Amino acid sequence: MSKSGFKDVEFDKSKPEAQRPLGSVNTPPDSPKRKHRPMELPLHKASDHGSIGHRRRTSWGELEGSLTIPVSPGSHNTIEVPSLRSPDADSTQFMHNLSATPSMRERRVSRNSFGASLPIPKSKRQSRLSSVVYPEGEGAKAGLPMSATRDILTAQAQDVHSEKVQAAKNMAFVFDIDGVLVHGDRLIPQGKATLDMLNGDNQLGIKIPHIFLTNGSGKPELARVEQLSKILHNPISTDQFIQSHTPMRALAEYYSTVLVVGGEGYRCREVAEEYGFKDIVVPNDIVAWDPTIAPYRVFTDAERATSRPRDFTKMNIEAILVFSDSRDYATDMQIIMDLLRSERGRLGTTAADPVSQRIPIYFSQGDLLCPTEHPTPRMSQGAFRIGLEAMYKALTGEELERVVYGKPELATYKYADEVIASWMDELHGEERVPANVYMIGDNPASDIIGGNMYGWNTCLVRTGVFQGGDNDEENPANFGVFTNVWDAVTAACRKELGDDFGFKWDARKMNPVLHDSHAASAVEV
């Protein structure tokens, strides 16, 4: 039994890794215990081999996947992370009874194709569009530049408690957003207090590193952090923010002409343009060119005026990128199926071989459910993907090979390391990943399983998807289950910084003009 109270998972080394329980992908019982990142998988530069998803034979005699994508010559800004695969990759089980809801227990991993890799940016954040975003109409708050007096007082407090300062710099928080800090556009009250404290409203006046890791998507990063800053009444930087499609900027080095699907209006086209994709097509462009391709779609004059039609029988779309939830399942699924069954992405054609001539398709995340303002979670991009997989199997008899980013994929967590280290450098001048990383999430099937497999401390909150018992039975949080984000963060701080750590800054206790006790006792709480 581990210290956390959960049974250690025993390895069955006679089985291939893909057939082991998901809990077994962590460090085997006889390996040295590590506090952070126990699982080290090989990373590859994009120029290391000729294609992603190159075929190779496994130890049990099967050929790994044929999903290939081109590599740009001389690429230096990308690394490739092996994808995860669950044993339940066959979509047949979802076609027996179309009214059955796929089991979350059986779909804990994104079911990526064998051999697929997920490219992510190798360098520091490439988009420093905003250093700090301030909430509109707010005065000086935690996280904003401090006055000279506050600087002096916090330096004094940190000198007195140097050990706590080092401990605070050796921990970091990774927050899911929907269901943890907000419900759609509504603030979860404890979210603001939590960020206030981490941004300096604490005993030491110190900023404790934290980033945001969400499977949400559909907007440019700057637009999303501006929106969140207003809701949370705290400054959020693009440099500490990861949406599900943020790591997909790396794919701009691989593809030129892409179909981008999902999101409101043309927001996802804006995202793709910002990421560096050269030739971006959205479903509206195709419907404007040929309305008969989507016979049930009512296409408005306003949509036609803002679309970019052309003759799509004279060009090849190289890849399909589902950046966000579809706003029109019927149209988007029809166009995607036409492209997947075409000859190398040319509309108006039908491939003789639906496998070798198929273009790749990428999904930004795989969540089946997402918390919103509605009382119960709504279906998300994972449901859209399941439908496509079942349709493709029914029409071609073949399994759909595809790649899924987002939590719980390893690539997303490795990219999070890049962002944490960069943010640590901005806050404290130390470009490194702290030893004690805490993932705060509401979805056991993405936030918790991903954090567990990556060696993070995981905290499950009850303000979103999870509404269960003492802990999730299939993917238990290893640090615990908490009522809300404040309870989770303060519990982690007490563990790392001591039970006497104060969660409020009190200038009176540090300022000798306002408080006549000695400075050494001034920071006591």
Side-chain angles (χ1 to χ4, degrees):
M1 186 77 69
S2 68
K3 291 181 180 179
S4 62
F6 302 118
K7 293 180 69 175
D8 290 325
V9 179
E10 295 294 330
F11 275 77
D12 182 352
K13 296 181 179 178
S14 65
K15 292 184 179 181
E17 184 175 320
Q19 297 177 14
R20 297 176 188 159
L22 283 174
S24 68
V25 299
N26 279 325
T27 310
D30 55 353
S31 296
K33 295 290 184 182
R34 297 178 59 187
K35 296 184 80 173
H36 182 59
R37 291 192 298 173
M39 178 175 60
E40 294 292 343
L41 296 183
L43 298 181
H44 309 286
K45 293 180 181 178
S47 55
D48 284 349
H49 49 72
S51 65
I52 290 180
H54 52 295
R55 295 172 70 88
R56 60 187 178 89
R57 191 169 296 278
T58 68
S59 58
W60 57 96
E62 296 178 345
L63 278 177
E64 290 192 344
S66 58
L67 184 63
T68 60
I69 66 175
V71 172
S72 302
S75 171
H76 300 292
N77 295 320
T78 305
I79 53 178
E80 294 167 13
V81 182
S83 65
L84 302 176
R85 179 181 169 94
S86 168
D88 60 322
D90 192 337
S91 66
T92 305
Q93 60 180 306
F94 305 116
M95 298 173 61
H96 273 302
N97 182 353
L98 295 180
S99 65
T101 301
S103 165
M104 289 299 289
R105 176 178 177 177
E106 298 302 323
R107 298 189 61 83
R108 291 175 293 180
V109 180
S110 62
R111 299 170 57 247
N112 272 318
S113 305
F114 274 124
S117 294
L118 285 73
I120 61 175
K122 182 175 65 175
S123 58
K124 283 187 178 181
R125 296 297 301 273
Q126 298 176 19
S127 175
R128 296 190 178 275
L129 298 177
S130 163
S131 57
V132 176
V133 176
Y134 306 119
E136 252 182 41
E138 296 291 334
K141 296 185 68 67
L144 302 185
M146 295 183 291
S147 67
T149 302
R150 173 71 184 267
D151 280 338
I152 294 170
L153 296 179
T154 55
Q156 184 176 336
Q158 292 172 23
D159 284 343
V160 171
H161 291 298
S162 58
E163 289 186 4
K164 272 189 171 58
V165 170
Q166 290 308 310
K169 291 181 179 180
N170 208 29
M171 67 184 301
F173 291 95
V174 180
F175 292 105
D176 180 43
I177 296 176
D178 291 300
V180 175
L181 299 170
V182 300
H183 286 139
D185 290 336
R186 287 191 295 112
L187 172 70
I188 295 174
Q190 295 82 7
K192 177 185 180 303
T194 300
L195 295 187
D196 283 346
M197 190 273 291
L198 295 178
N199 278 327
D201 189 10
N202 56 61
Q203 174 187 4
L204 304 177
I206 193 170
K207 296 178 183 177
I208 299 175
H210 58 281
I211 68 166
F212 304 87
L213 180 61
T214 175
N215 273 356
S217 56
K219 292 182 178 180
E221 280 76 7
L222 180 58
R224 183 64 170 139
V225 299
E226 287 177 339
Q227 177 190 28
L228 281 171
S229 294
K230 293 175 183 177
I231 296 172
L232 293 165
H233 301 285
N234 267 272
I236 299 174
S237 168
T238 55
D239 295 341
Q240 62 183 141
F241 183 73
I242 305 171
Q243 297 188 96
S244 61
H245 49 58
T246 306
M248 294 173 73
R249 67 170 62 246
L251 294 174
E253 292 197 16
Y254 296 81
Y255 303 110
S256 177
T257 303
V258 296
L259 175 73
V260 174
V261 177
E264 296 179 8
Y266 296 99
R267 285 293 187 94
C268 284
R269 195 203 301 267
E270 295 173 21
V271 172
E273 289 171 345
E274 181 186 302
Y275 288 175
F277 290 94
K278 300 296 188 294
D279 188 10
I280 303 151
V281 180
V282 298
N284 272 7
D285 300 338
I286 296 172
V287 177
W289 162 67
D290 180 7
T292 66
I293 204 166
Y296 309 115
R297 171 71 181 274
V298 177
F299 202 55
T300 68
D301 292 339
E303 288 173 321
R304 191 178 307 279
T306 54
S307 63
R308 302 175 187 175
R310 60 185 117 160
D311 188 348
F312 290 99
T313 63
K314 296 181 179 179
M315 58 175 287
N316 292 76
I317 292 173
E318 298 168 12
I320 302 165
L321 311 179
V322 182
F323 268 10
S324 186
D325 290 353
S326 169
R327 267 51 174 186
D328 182 353
Y329 269 43
T331 299
D332 291 347
M333 283 184 166
Q334 182 66 68
I335 290 172
I336 289 172
M337 291 303 299
D338 286 347
L339 284 170
L340 290 174
R341 299 171 65 206
S342 70
E343 291 183 357
R344 307 188 189 284
R346 182 164 294 211
L347 287 171
T349 67
T350 301
D353 181 353
V355 176
S356 66
Q357 294 181 298
R358 179 177 57 209
I359 63 174
I361 180 169
Y362 295 84
F363 296 85
S364 71
Q365 54 100 347
D367 286 351
L368 182 63
L369 299 173
C370 176
T372 67
E373 294 94 335
H374 194 77
T376 57
R378 303 290 83 192
M379 290 189 295
S380 187
Q381 196 180 129
F384 181 76
R385 189 193 74 239
I386 292 169
L388 279 173
E389 290 169 353
M391 277 188 273
Y392 187 84
K393 175 84 175 200
L395 289 171
T396 68
E398 301 288 343
E399 291 297 324
L400 176 61
E401 292 186 15
R402 75 287 178 285
V403 175
V404 183
Y405 280 78
K407 296 173 290 186
E409 276 297 328
L410 175 65
T412 293
Y413 290 83
K414 287 199 173 289
Y415 186 61
D417 269 358
E418 297 273 320
V419 175
I420 292 171
S422 179
W423 189 241
M424 269 288 293
D425 189 29
E426 289 194 29
L427 286 187
H428 299 302
E430 303 174 16
E431 189 175 353
R432 62 181 178 86
V433 179
N436 305 300
V437 178
Y438 289 83
M439 174 79 220
I440 317 292
D442 69 300
N443 190 338
S446 58
D447 304 322
I448 302 306
I449 188 174
N452 285 345
M453 289 195 299
Y454 202 51
W456 287 349
N457 303 293
T458 51
C459 307
L460 185 58
V461 297
R462 298 182 184 277
T463 48
V465 170
F466 178 73
Q467 298 291 327
D470 292 339
N471 208 329
D472 185 69
E473 294 182 3
E474 301 301 327
N475 307 302
N478 59 40
F479 189 66
V481 178
F482 301 89
T483 302
N484 54 57
V485 64
W486 173 263
D487 289 351
V489 169
T490 53
C493 287
R494 288 190 183 100
K495 177 179 182 293
E496 302 298 337
L497 306 177
D499 290 335
D500 62 339
F501 182 72
F503 299 113
K504 196 74 178 172
W505 170 258
D506 188 349
R508 295 185 63 86
K509 290 186 176 183
M510 281 306 303
N511 194 330
V513 174
L514 302 175
H515 184 71
D516 54 11
S517 56
H518 294 295
S521 64
V523 290
E524 294 176 2
V525 293

